């Protein structure tokens, strides 16, 4: 069975703004266009530096440019968050209340993204 490569929209954004791979590579601080090509062809995952640079350049958040990677990371973090959330329930300490506040805000944001993506 053939594995599907993660979806990314780097090429779409680059072309939308009329940039060549070489021009984008230069803007991102690379000397060779092949780096951009490998990321666009999903042969290489985006680095944090690339994701932030693309946000600066295109104004597009990571979840918009690299939705599959973003969704995978979110799922992993939310799984661990729910485990910890369940574990700390019932502890009345101030420190735990702060954690619960953080977790509930993260849960609300995740639910909002799900709702927004369905619309």
């Amino acid at each position: 069975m053939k594995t599907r490569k993660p979806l990314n929209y780097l090429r779409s954004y680059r072309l939308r703004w009329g940039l060549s791979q070489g021009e984008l590579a230069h803007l991102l601080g690379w000397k060779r266009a092949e780096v951009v090509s490998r990321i666009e062809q999903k042969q290489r995952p985006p680095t944090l530096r690339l994701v932030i640079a693309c946000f600066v350049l295109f104004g597009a958040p990571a979840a918009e440019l690299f939705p599959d990677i973003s969704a995978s990371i979110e799922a992993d973090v939310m799984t661990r968050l729910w485990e910890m959330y369940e574990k700390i329930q019932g502890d009345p300490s101030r420190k735990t209340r702060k954690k619960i506040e953080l977790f509930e805000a993260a849960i609300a944001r995740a639910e909002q993204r799900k709702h927004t993506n369905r619309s």
Side-chain angles (χ1 to χ4, degrees), residues 12-77:
S12 299
Y13 273 85
R14 177 178 62 76
L15 293 175
R16 180 181 303 156
W17 295 102
L19 296 170
S20 69
Q21 287 179 336
E23 290 168 331
L24 181 57
H26 175 75
L27 291 168
L28 299 175
W30 296 317
K31 296 187 188 309
R32 298 174 41 189
E34 290 81 15
V35 177
V36 172
S37 175
R38 286 188 199 105
I39 294 167
E40 288 181 352
Q41 293 176 24
K42 297 129 188 136
Q43 296 172 346
R44 176 180 176 177
T47 63
L48 177 59
R49 183 177 187 84
L50 168 79
V51 172
I52 293 171
C54 285
F55 177 73
V56 170
L57 181 60
F58 300 122
E64 194 172 304
L65 270 169
F66 306 101
D68 287 355
I69 293 169
S70 181
S72 174
I73 292 169
E74 180 175 12
D76 291 345
V77 171

Side-chain angles (χ1 to χ4, degrees), residues 1 3 5 20-21 31 35 49 59 63 82 84 104-105 115:
M1 177 165 51
T3 306
K5 293 182 179 179
S20 69
Q21 287 179 336
K31 296 187 188 309
V35 177
R49 183 177 187 84
W82 275 107
M84 189 177 287
E104 288 176 347
H115 179 71

